[in-house]
Amino acid sequence: MQHYIVRRILQLIPVLLGISLITFLLIQLMPSDPAIVVLRVNQVPVTEAAIAAMRERLGLNRPLPIQYFDWLWHVLHLDFGNSYVTGEPVLQEVLHYAPVTLKLTCFTAILILLIALPAGILAALYKNSMFDQMSRMFAYTGTAIPSFWLGFLLIYLFSLKLKLFPVMGSGTLAHFVLPAITLAWGPAAICTRLLRSSMLDSLSQNYVLYARARGVFERMVIGQHVFKNALLPVVTFFGLSFAHLLSGAVIVENVFALPGVGRFMVKAILSRDYPVIQCFVCLSAFLFVSVNLIVDLVYGYLDPRIRLGGVNESAH
Amino acid sequence: MTLLLIRNVSKTYTLNQGWQGRKAITALQNVSLTISPGCCLGLVGESGSGKSTLGRVTLGLEKPDSGEIWFQGKDISRLKNNELNALRRDMQVVFQDSFSAVNPQLKAREIIAEPINNYLRISPTETRDRVAQLLEKVGLTAADAEKYPHQFSGGQLQRITIARAIALNPKFIVLDEPVASLDMTIQAQILDLLLSLKREFNLAYLFISHDLAAVSFISDALAVMYEGAIVEHLGDVNRMSELQHPYSIRLMASQLPAHPRYRLPILHGDDNGFQRSIS
């Protein structure tokens, strides 16, 4: 297992390097010159001389590879430069907004599991029952409704009409309930259906039938043979949707006026605050890759064949 | 004294053929059998003759349409699943395809320990010892306990499913073509193993096969099945030459002899007359 973890972590290095390169080049490909952007936000008159001076100050006149390695060196020391708008270190600003977004994301992830695991298992065990039909409806609506609209509906019903939850802000836990529901509905719906279908798939395996024939108690059949095997695709989807949640938070944070990274990012994009955008892209990529690493490790735990790298040696 | 008594069991499947409507397929008609403790009944017949269905009905995996199956004084066909589970401790099964019969994510140790954990409340150390004994009993080593199914060959994995089947000292095992997908040499080894286990633990087998040679090696009695019915029953497998039913004779003739010179004549051309003589 240790060998497997080390191997997976080493594989991350080229991936992260590639991401940093793309993030860096992305800014170079932008239509507007960073020097002009800085001059505009600081309300300095845009003249030839001012642009040249600013380019010199930002180090934009050096060859690209040197600029890249210089930037990468600073990033490795967690220095993403200063914001064009406020002049403050970027990382500090992003970290200032991060707790709200992280809280929202974790809250949502827990909500997804709380809904999807029991609902998926029950829908599979009582296939085509009333409950299964209801979970199907839940899934269709969940995937069909765009999250910003759902957010507004929830605010209208629970905050304005029923006055159960606050409309906006982030002071208490109650502030996170509606945003988390908004974010969780879609992924929870997909997770439920995914778990249902992979449970049904496992249920039809011969060794499940044979376990019943040998008198293995139903609780053990479902727990040991069906559920554990059925979890694999769900874990994959969950890992991917966790990263999706981070970007989905951008919309939901704006709808519910949560002061999180998402809202901060929209502002940065509108004002072309490139260092902030770079920092955000790098950090989300890092998070995404880390979550996927965790998913892979969970995979290794759930399916020992992956860990041993021996799937191909199988006689069948 | 009988361990298993099957009386007048019938089973019909309906096949849904879409716009062509439904078609009824008779898998078993009026099948009656008895198996005594410590005896092996060989059940032979061609593919689709209903012998595997009989195995599944005996295991309680499917309910017969009519008839009775008595095992240890209880009628299996009328029991609910949770009542059946108590009986299943004494009635285990080994299937042809060992790879689909085990959960690919469990180690050999966990596969063999499953029935033990299911029925007995014993400590992990005792379980471990029991698994080691069982592995040795079926000709594997204790080191094999930590391997996963895909690391075994077909013969080795079949030994593991046999170890799982005898883990609780059952009285009766359904062997559904246990050697059909193995090499000839491995087949012989597994049959040897099954025979020695039968003698050691006084096991009764229902040995389902289409291979007369294998059946005559391991069985005490023999039943020949054709189109869902038992067409011939032989109390002593050594008197196989006394088989009289046309299908039985044809089945015997289809076996490859030790030398081509001794091959029995194959019946040709009178399939219609043959069908008539059965019904």
Side-chain angles (χ1 to χ4, degrees):
Chain A
M1 190 69 188
Q2 272 170 352
H3 180 75
Y4 174 71
I5 296 173
V6 171
R7 203 175 59 203
R8 290 294 295 115
I9 290 178
L10 286 179
Q11 282 169 357
L12 286 188
I13 294 174
V15 174
L16 287 172
L17 277 178
I19 292 167
S20 74
L21 186 63
I22 291 171
T23 320
F24 176 77
L25 289 178
L26 222 57
I27 304 302
Q28 303 298 322
L29 295 173
M30 290 282 186
S32 44
D33 186 338
I36 301 175
V37 173
V38 178
L39 291 175
R40 285 232 177 86
V41 281
N42 292 321
Q43 293 170 337
V44 178
V46 183
T47 61
E48 286 293 318
I51 292 175
M54 188 51 77
R55 288 187 68 87
E56 190 61 44
R57 218 188 91 195
L58 294 174
L60 295 175
N61 290 331
R62 294 171 299 164
L64 264 186
I66 293 190
Q67 279 189 50
Y68 170 67
F69 284 114
D70 186 46
W71 176 78
L72 188 64
W73 183 248
H74 282 105
V75 166
L76 286 177
H77 293 82
L78 293 178
D79 174 13
F80 285 87
N82 294 344
S83 161
Y84 290 167
V85 179
T86 60
E88 298 285 321
V90 170
L91 191 66
Q92 214 175 314
E93 299 228 315
V94 171
L95 290 183
H96 174 73
Y97 291 103
V100 172
T101 306
L102 277 182
K103 243 192 252 175
L104 175 64
T105 314
C106 291
F107 221 55
T108 311
I110 293 170
L111 199 60
I112 292 175
L113 291 182
L114 282 182
I115 297 172
L117 292 186
I121 294 171
L122 290 177
L125 293 186
Y126 303 100
K127 188 182 162 197
N128 293 332
S129 66
M130 191 68 184
F131 180 83
D132 189 23
Q133 304 292 350
M134 270 164 58
S135 88
R136 186 170 295 154
M137 280 301 298
F138 167 77
Y140 290 154
T141 48
T143 39
I145 298 178
S147 59
F148 61 90
W149 191 57
L150 178 65
F152 285 132
L153 285 182
L154 290 175
I155 290 179
Y156 179 75
L157 182 64
F158 289 103
S159 301
L160 299 180
K161 289 287 166 193
L162 298 172
K163 302 209 188 307
L164 283 175
F165 296 105
V167 177
M168 47 181 57
S170 68
T172 63
L173 214 58
H175 284 99
F176 286 98
V177 173
L178 291 186
I181 292 176
T182 312
L183 262 182
W185 197 324
I190 299 174
C191 244
T192 307
R193 300 309 286 174
L194 210 58
L195 183 58
R196 174 189 179 270
S197 66
S198 60
M199 285 270 294
L200 288 176
D201 206 41
S202 305
L203 277 169
S204 68
Q205 293 288 322
N206 270 343
Y207 58 78
V208 172
L209 178 77
Y210 297 170
R212 287 181 173 151
R214 288 182 293 108
V216 178
F217 291 106
E218 193 64 16
R219 187 166 33 87
M220 264 167 87
V221 173
I222 300 296
Q224 179 73 276
H225 296 298
V226 180
F227 181 64
K228 208 174 153 195
N229 288 4
L231 265 186
L232 283 175
V234 180
V235 167
T236 312
F237 172 79
F238 190 72
L240 289 174
S241 70
F242 190 82
H244 242 59
L245 290 184
L246 286 174
S247 52
V250 173
I251 294 166
V252 172
E253 279 172 13
N254 276 292
V255 170
F256 288 91
L258 286 172
V261 179
R263 249 159 67 92
F264 177 55
M265 209 36 51
V266 172
K267 258 191 279 176
I269 291 168
L270 291 177
S271 56
R272 300 216 161 74
D273 202 343
Y274 293 145
V276 177
I277 301 172
Q278 276 178 325
C279 177
F280 181 70
V281 174
C282 280
L283 284 185
S284 348
F286 183 73
L287 255 175
F288 187 87
V289 174
S290 318
V291 169
N292 271 295
L293 174 67
I294 295 171
V295 167
D296 277 356
L297 297 185
V298 172
Y299 242 88
Y301 164 72
L302 285 176
D303 191 348
R305 286 174 300 171
I306 294 172
R307 183 166 73 224
L308 295 169
V311 180
N312 297 334
E313 294 164 19
S314 163
H316 277 236
Chain B
M1 193 189 139
T2 50
L3 181 71
L4 179 82
L5 174 71
I6 299 177
R7 191 187 289 156
N8 297 333
V9 164
S10 296
K11 174 89 186 167
T12 306
Y13 292 106
T14 36
L15 198 68
N16 207 337
Q17 294 181 315
W19 56 274
Q20 288 178 313
R22 283 153 190 274
K23 193 176 152 195
I25 293 175
T26 310
L28 299 174
Q29 39 181 327
N30 275 331
V31 172
S32 299
L33 281 178
T34 54
I35 296 178
S36 310
C39 285
C40 175
L41 175 71
L43 185 63
V44 289
E46 60 191 0
S47 311
S49 61
K51 52 193 199 304
S52 281
T53 306
L54 186 61
R56 293 164 68 97
V57 168
T58 310
L59 289 164
L61 282 176
E62 292 182 39
K63 298 269 176 241
D65 298 335
S66 63
E68 300 161 4
I69 302 156
W70 291 87
F71 180 71
Q72 296 192 330
K74 298 222 169 83
D75 185 356
I76 289 176
S77 58
R78 303 215 198 305
L79 288 180
K80 296 219 173 63
N81 260 331
N82 48 355
E83 296 168 317
L84 257 177
N85 275 356
L87 281 186
R88 280 174 168 154
R89 182 174 167 174
D90 287 324
M91 181 201 277
Q92 292 285 313
V93 57
V94 174
F95 288 98
Q96 173 180 1
D97 184 6
S98 49
F99 280 98
S100 76
V102 296
N103 186 337
Q105 300 181 5
L106 297 183
K107 291 177 182 172
R109 176 168 54 76
E110 298 165 302
I111 293 169
I112 298 172
E114 187 185 56
I116 301 173
N117 293 330
N118 193 44
Y119 284 105
L120 307 177
R121 294 278 166 266
I122 60 175
S123 73
T125 4
E126 281 178 274
T127 310
R128 199 170 284 264
D129 292 346
R130 183 92 184 96
V131 169
Q133 283 170 15
L134 286 164
L135 277 171
E136 206 177 311
K137 189 120 298 193
V138 296
L140 296 170
T141 62
D144 292 321
E146 300 303 316
K147 286 195 199 162
Y148 289 95
H150 68 270
Q151 293 169 308
F152 289 106
S153 69
Q156 287 173 321
L157 202 57
Q158 197 60 289
R159 286 171 190 271
I160 286 174
T161 61
I162 291 170
R164 174 171 73 178
I166 61 169
L168 294 165
N169 294 327
K171 299 195 172 59
F172 174 58
I173 302 181
V174 174
L175 304 166
D176 192 350
E177 308 241 15
V179 295
S181 54
L182 301 173
D183 294 343
M184 287 310 280
T185 49
I186 312 289
Q187 279 195 16
Q189 290 171 13
I190 297 283
L191 286 173
D192 273 338
L193 172 66
L194 288 169
L195 197 60
S196 70
L197 291 173
K198 171 174 173 275
R199 286 180 184 146
E200 188 176 345
F201 297 108
N202 197 32
L203 282 164
Y205 290 148
L206 174 62
F207 186 87
I208 300 170
S209 179
H210 56 255
D211 182 357
L212 272 179
V215 167
S216 63
F217 178 77
I218 197 169
S219 302
D220 304 304
L222 173 73
V224 181
M225 218 170 169
Y226 183 77
E227 298 204 329
I230 305 263
V231 291
E232 191 148 17
H233 195 283
L234 210 61
D236 182 0
V237 83
N238 294 322
R239 300 210 312 262
M240 212 182 259
S241 55
E242 293 172 19
L243 284 174
Q244 287 170 356
H245 191 275
Y247 175 69
S248 311
I249 292 168
R250 208 162 71 147
L251 194 68
M252 280 211 293
S254 70
Q255 300 293 314
L256 290 178
H259 192 281
R261 195 183 295 147
Y262 305 120
R263 170 174 256 171
L264 290 167
I266 297 173
L267 305 178
H268 285 294
D270 62 342
D271 260 9
N272 287 333
F274 169 58
Q275 297 272 357
R276 260 198 308 281
S277 69
I278 286 168
S279 50

